[in-house]
Amino acid sequence: MKKTLITIFTVLSCLVCRAGAYGSITPDGTFMYARRDSCDLYLDWYKPSEGSVTEIDGVRKPTILFVFGGGFKQGFRSDASSDPWFRKLTDEGYTVVSIDYRLGLKGVTGAGFNPEFTRNLENAIKIAVEDLFSATNYLIENAESLGIDPDAIVVSGSSAGAITVLQAEWEICNGRQLASVLPDGFNYAGVMSFSGAIFSRQGGIRYGMEPCPMMLCHGTADKIVPYGQIWFFNIRFAGSSVISRTLRRKGYNSRFFRFEGNSHEIASTMCHNFDREMDFLEENVMKGRRVIIDTTLADDGVPVPDWAKGGDYRKLYNKD
């Protein structure tokens, strides 16, 4: 059976959330974490707000390492649309790190389930994960000066960033070559994904070892990053519904929030889902409780950013 890969990343190229005017937050430090042939890569570091509670029952709250969205074509670590979420996290006592990564589909046109675009997509995901792992190593190596626990790093991403963090955890759990740059035995403390997916040439999505606790949010009507999966023979582009099915079948520590009837705007709901994130971080991650949730939400209050308004925004943003 063959399904068509619609113009997913043409639309994602404009997924830089513009949900209105927000207050700003200034990084407490900016550091170059890697030098590539094409560019230098930086991360922004935000300390917990002064006076905030940084521990629960004597356990330090984890660092949240964020990967922005933008279809692997555009976006940047300090986009002001992320400021409210960063502010809420630091006010709750969390350290936040936001990173650059190489944009592997920048300048790439077209789409479709054809060999050329599939290779381009696969490479874009690969180099984003490479950069995420480089940033992770930087945090581990500089944990003391940055005041973080290297064993308590939670990765989170929106859209293309969500694809990156889900792919990274899949690479780690399957002992793949891409993850060999990380310290032996390392894994993230958790994953929070907003409209993400995993790319595989090995057929169905499987985990060779138990993944870290995972929280997935996805709209059931998402036509940009698949809620289910797009596949042809052994190639899979598997979204949150397929990933969650694998996690639940194995009894792995995970939460999946299916937003009934919503589309790709769920990629921009980090603030909207803040209470759910806090509960996941405190219960599944910090306390290590195996809380498995799979629930469908009819949520009329989901904010719809400008890029998702006006009907068929696949056409609206099909500019390449």
Side-chain angles (χ1 to χ4, degrees):
M1 179 179 181
K2 180 178 179 180
K3 294 189 178 181
T4 302
L5 179 59
I6 62 174
T7 55
I8 290 174
F9 290 92
T10 303
V11 183
L12 284 178
S13 68
C14 290
L15 182 55
V16 179
C17 177
R18 291 175 174 83
Y22 300 118
S24 63
I25 183 172
T26 302
D28 293 290
T30 297
F31 307 96
M32 187 176 73
Y33 73 83
R35 173 162 285 163
R36 306 299 187 199
D37 292 338
S38 58
C39 58
D40 295 335
L41 300 173
Y42 291 85
L43 61 82
D44 289 336
W45 167 64
Y46 303 83
K47 296 189 296 185
S49 300
E50 187 174 352
S52 61
V53 177
T54 59
E55 296 183 352
I56 295 178
D57 297 333
V59 179
R60 188 190 308 181
K61 292 180 178 179
T63 294
I64 310 301
L65 173 53
F66 180 65
V67 186
F68 62 80
F72 301 107
K73 289 188 172 187
Q74 65 179 35
F76 43 95
R77 69 181 188 277
S78 56
D79 191 303
S81 64
S82 299
D83 282 2
W85 189 51
F86 294 171
R87 174 72 70 185
K88 288 168 75 73
L89 287 168
T90 56
D91 284 351
E92 288 292 328
Y94 291 88
T95 299
V96 176
V97 174
S98 182
I99 68 168
D100 287 330
Y101 61 95
R102 287 168 291 171
L103 303 175
L105 289 182
K106 189 173 184 178
V108 174
T109 60
F113 218 62
N114 59 72
E116 181 179 2
F117 185 77
T118 301
R119 284 194 298 269
N120 287 332
L121 169 59
E122 183 179 21
N123 181 66
I125 297 171
K126 174 180 177 289
I127 63 175
V129 172
E130 285 178 346
D131 294 342
L132 172 58
F133 285 161
S134 292
T136 301
N137 278 333
Y138 182 91
L139 296 183
I140 293 170
E141 292 163 4
N142 295 276
E144 184 174 356
S145 62
L146 295 174
I148 68 173
D149 180 352
D151 295 320
I153 300 173
V154 172
V155 282
S156 181
S158 164
S159 192
I163 294 169
T164 301
V165 300
L166 289 173
Q167 189 81 27
E169 181 64 8
W170 185 74
E171 299 279 342
I172 291 171
C173 291
N174 289 298
R176 291 168 59 85
Q177 180 64 31
L178 204 56
S180 65
V181 299
L182 295 169
D184 290 343
F186 174 84
N187 199 3
Y188 295 109
V191 170
M192 296 191 296
S193 164
F194 298 87
S195 304
I198 293 173
F199 183 94
S200 170
R201 288 186 178 271
Q202 286 74 49
I205 301 303
R206 300 177 179 84
Y207 292 89
M209 71 176 194
E210 181 168 358
C212 65
M214 301 176 72
M215 174 180 164
L216 313 174
C217 296
H218 216 128
T220 64
D222 197 334
K223 298 296 190 293
I224 310 307
V225 173
Y227 166 75
Q229 67 178 340
I230 299 168
W231 58 277
F232 183 62
F233 294 109
N234 282 335
I235 299 176
R236 297 287 194 279
F237 193 40
S240 302
S241 185
V242 173
I243 297 169
S244 178
R245 184 170 65 230
T246 299
L247 298 174
R248 286 185 290 108
R249 186 184 298 129
K250 293 289 188 178
Y252 293 153
N253 197 348
S254 61
R255 302 186 182 203
F256 182 25
F257 299 101
R258 308 171 187 257
F259 287 81
E260 182 66 34
N262 290 102
S263 188
H264 201 58
E265 62 267 16
I266 301 305
S268 297
T269 55
M270 285 82 75
C271 283
H272 184 72
N273 282 294
F274 195 72
D275 289 344
R276 297 183 180 105
E277 296 157 22
M278 291 299 99
D279 195 56
F280 167 75
L281 290 170
E282 292 176 15
E283 297 296 324
N284 296 63
V285 175
M286 296 184 65
K287 296 179 181 178
R289 294 176 178 168
R290 191 174 293 268
V291 180
I292 300 174
I293 295 173
D294 187 327
T295 186
T296 300
L297 304 173
D299 189 345
D300 294 333
V302 172
V304 180
D306 290 344
W307 56 262
K309 296 176 181 176
D312 189 355
Y313 51 85
R314 285 178 292 163
K315 288 183 180 179
L316 181 65
Y317 289 112
N318 189 5
K319 297 180 179 178
D320 287 332

